[in-house]
Structures are given as C-alpha cells and as structure tokens.
Amino acid sequence: MGQQNTAMLKSMKVSDSVAESYGTMMKGMMRAASTEADTTSAYQQATKTFETWRATVHPGVAASLTGVSDTTRITKYIRAMVNTMRVPWMRYFLAYNPTENLAKLSCPVLVLNGGKDIQVLAEPNLAGWAAAGRDKDFTVKEMSGINHLFQHCQKCTVAEYGELTETFSPEVLEIMGDWLTEKVVK
C-alpha cells in the first residue's frame, strides 16, 4: 500500500522525493496501526511517524497530500488511519504472506500485470509470482503500456480509468485465450 501511494502520487506529477517520503510515512503509519499491541500505542507511534514526516516537507505540501493542516484535523486524520488499519480483517490483510498458499498450487497459473499499473506495481508483484512459481507451471507476464484495469493508458492514473474508451486490452484477451487453449483445452 505504501508503494501504491507513492506510485499514485508520482502519476499525479508529485516530485519523486515528496512521493517517496509520503510513501515511507504511510508505511510507517500502517505498520504502527497494524502491529502495535494496543490502540493507544498505535496512535502514539503513528503520530510520531506522521509528525516526523510533516517536519520534512513544506506545510502546504503536507496539507495538500493529507487534506489536513490544523492540529485538530491532523489528530482526526491519524485516528481515522489507525482505526481503519486496526480492523481485524485489515490487520490480517496487511500481515498476510501468500507464499505458503502459492506453494500448494498444483494447477497451471497465468499471472498478468499491467506495466503501467499504479495499484499493483508490476515489478514487485511479478517477481513474487515468479519466485513462487519457480518449480511450477506458472506463466508470468508484464503487459507493457497497460494499467490496472488492463487498458492501454496515456496518463496512467486512476482518474483516467473512466476517460478511456477501451474497456479491456485485446492483446491481454488474446494472451488469456491462447493460454487457456494451451493449458486447458487439450
């Protein structure tokens, strides 16, 4: 999720250094919220992480990226983040490592990821699949110029999804069809 936040900011033309620092701050807040033993400790650690980040960026940048600037709103922002991340399902999701379950797969697997996907970044995602499928029948492929919804994109932002006329890349459909024919229709 930290990588996702960073990628989304970069797609919105936020400078690399600001986007990276924001992503690092978000990772720290999520870690505190999801791993601290109790909610009070989670609030304290998340607040410390947020304030450390906030001290490194221009106040206008911090306010622009978070939507908050005064102490009351900052406290509400941090509490909302911590409360969201402390929900049992979210704590499970953040801690979940699929490697063990992937190792149990015995069927062929097709893994496609858009090279311009800013929600599930291609490089780390596909590297994980490739490592998990090293001794298995996994086909792992990055789709160049394709976003999260498997559309060709120009700006490659989340906002662009609804602006694109293509609903699903014909090349991706062809790869899926060819793979199914090869693996399933024998």
Side-chain angles (χ1 to χ4, degrees):
M1 289 175 70
Q3 291 174 340
Q4 182 184 72
N5 278 279
T6 300
M8 284 186 188
L9 288 176
K10 287 180 179 180
S11 80
M12 295 163 39
K13 306 301 183 216
V14 171
S15 75
D16 286 357
S17 62
V18 170
E20 295 287 343
S21 73
Y22 181 82
T24 299
M25 179 271 295
M26 289 298 292
K27 286 178 197 174
M29 287 184 62
M30 287 184 281
R31 188 178 313 105
S34 64
T35 63
E36 288 291 324
D38 60 79
T39 304
T40 301
S41 298
Y43 288 143
Q44 290 169 345
Q45 188 59 43
T47 299
K48 180 180 174 185
T49 300
F50 181 85
E51 291 299 342
T52 299
W53 168 76
R54 189 167 165 242
T56 68
V57 297
H58 185 278
V61 170
S64 174
L65 294 179
T66 62
V68 297
S69 57
D70 64 78
T71 305
T72 302
R73 288 188 180 144
I74 289 170
T75 300
K76 286 181 181 179
Y77 173 83
I78 293 168
R79 286 193 178 278
M81 170 72 76
V82 169
N83 290 341
T84 299
M85 296 296 147
R86 289 193 69 78
V87 170
W89 183 90
M90 185 59 85
R91 290 178 78 172
Y92 167 81
F93 175 72
L94 293 172
Y96 177 69
N97 181 349
T99 305
E100 184 178 312
N101 289 329
L102 293 177
K104 295 176 184 177
L105 290 176
S106 59
C107 63
V109 175
L110 173 63
V111 180
L112 303 175
N113 207 144
K116 295 290 186 174
D117 190 336
I118 60 172
Q119 291 185 263
V120 179
L121 303 184
E123 185 177 330
N125 186 51
L126 295 178
W129 278 99
R134 190 168 289 127
D135 299 323
K136 299 192 172 284
D137 187 4
F138 283 17
T139 303
V140 178
K141 184 168 178 56
E142 179 176 331
M143 303 303 301
S144 180
I146 302 290
N147 68 16
H148 186 68
L149 302 182
F150 293 103
Q151 302 165 304
H152 288 92
C153 57
Q154 298 302 312
K155 295 181 261 179
C156 305
T157 62
V158 173
E160 185 186 35
Y161 293 168
E163 299 169 6
L164 299 170
T165 56
E166 181 178 66
T167 54
F168 203 93
S169 162
E171 297 96 303
V172 174
L173 286 174
E174 185 176 346
I175 287 169
M176 292 167 67
D178 291 347
W179 183 86
L180 285 167
T181 299
E182 177 189 335
K183 300 293 180 178
V184 180
V185 184
K186 290 187 176 186

